[in-house]
Amino acid sequence: MRVPFPLLALLAATTTLLGEADAYHGQIPATCLRPQPLCRSPLAELVSLPQRSSPIAVIAPPIDPVVFKWPIMVTGAWLVMYYNYMTLGPTAGIAGSDEGHKLCCDRIFGNLHEQSVPFLVTTWLHAVFVSPVDAGILGASWLMFRALYAPLRIMGNMPGGKLSLSTLPGYALIIYMGLSAVLLACFGFDLRAAAFGSHILGIIACFLAFFANFSIVLNIQKRFFSK
């Protein structure tokens, strides 16, 4: 099979660019307007990448990563969980599992996927505007409750009351992290302080608020849209 020339050129350019990036990993040239290298590759000429002979100055990152160590670790753990859950559906199909088990595996990943965006957004809102350490603790708690979902779903093989042991605390944690950040950043109101300094009380309050809102929406559905 003949490989088109543009594809070969793209592969060569990508390989060269990765080599240039490795050469300057974590470093930014001090003089990068008109460097005078011994030789320049065509790709370096194209994207104006400095060569190894340029003077190098180590530049510190704009944000100290140690400050956000815990939310970064939580994000990494979420990524591991996300891609492992994503493989459940395809591997169940390849293994020849029954339709019930394949649906179960699809929903394990689907439910994680549904909650991932609000989880990541609120975790980092809390880390930036409230406390990175608290965001790490709350995010890790969310991951632990989320880890319960897969075995509960597989053992029961159908949605039901057992799954609420995983989903409902997850909803409350997300609401608490996001609401704490919004209230503190926009209105100067400390939700944790209002909950007598207890994350648990604050999370319970957010769960009750979620349940109350759920009841309101349910009543609206019954009143105006029931058959």
Side-chain angles (χ1 to χ4, degrees):
M1 182 180 67
R2 296 182 60 187
V3 180
F5 176 78
L7 180 57
L8 289 175
L10 179 60
L11 290 174
T14 303
T15 303
T16 307
L17 184 59
L18 290 174
E20 299 285 354
D22 283 340
Y24 294 100
H25 178 66
Q27 298 175 322
I28 298 176
T31 58
C32 56
L33 292 178
R34 289 187 179 275
Q36 300 297 326
L38 296 177
C39 60
R40 292 181 65 81
S41 66
L43 179 66
E45 289 288 349
L46 178 64
V47 298
S48 299
L49 283 176
Q51 297 295 299
R52 292 172 177 81
S53 58
S54 302
I56 298 297
V58 178
I59 306 298
I63 299 176
D64 185 358
V66 175
V67 175
F68 293 98
K69 175 177 66 175
W70 297 112
I72 290 172
M73 291 176 62
V74 165
T75 305
W78 164 83
L79 194 62
V80 172
M81 177 182 287
Y82 187 88
Y83 278 102
N84 275 282
Y85 278 20
M86 187 179 68
T87 63
L88 290 176
T91 52
I94 295 171
S97 302
D98 60 76
E99 292 300 319
H101 182 71
K102 288 192 286 186
L103 176 61
C104 172
C105 291
D106 287 339
R107 283 308 305 151
I108 289 172
F109 174 64
N111 195 269
L112 172 65
H113 184 74
E114 292 162 6
Q115 289 204 48
S116 288
V117 172
F119 165 68
L120 292 174
V121 170
T122 55
T123 296
W124 281 98
L125 280 175
H126 201 92
V128 172
F129 295 107
V130 182
S131 166
V133 175
D134 287 353
I137 295 171
L138 296 168
S141 300
W142 184 90
L143 287 174
M144 287 189 289
F145 282 112
R146 175 51 37 186
L148 290 174
Y149 188 92
L152 289 174
R153 183 85 192 218
I154 291 173
M155 287 188 298
N157 210 24
M158 287 293 289
K162 291 181 180 179
L163 290 179
S164 61
L165 297 175
S166 170
T167 56
L168 294 182
Y171 298 150
L173 281 160
I174 288 173
I175 294 170
Y176 177 73
M177 287 192 291
L179 188 61
S180 297
V182 171
L183 290 177
L184 188 61
C186 298
F187 305 103
F189 181 81
D190 190 337
L191 182 58
R192 182 182 181 184
F196 306 101
S198 171
H199 284 311
I200 295 177
L201 291 179
I203 292 168
I204 291 174
C206 288
F207 168 76
L208 294 176
F210 169 81
F211 186 76
N213 182 74
F214 180 88
S215 300
I216 292 171
V217 174
L218 177 61
N219 288 328
I220 292 174
Q221 296 276 29
K222 287 181 177 180
R223 184 177 181 85
F224 297 104
F225 301 103
S226 61
K227 295 180 180 180

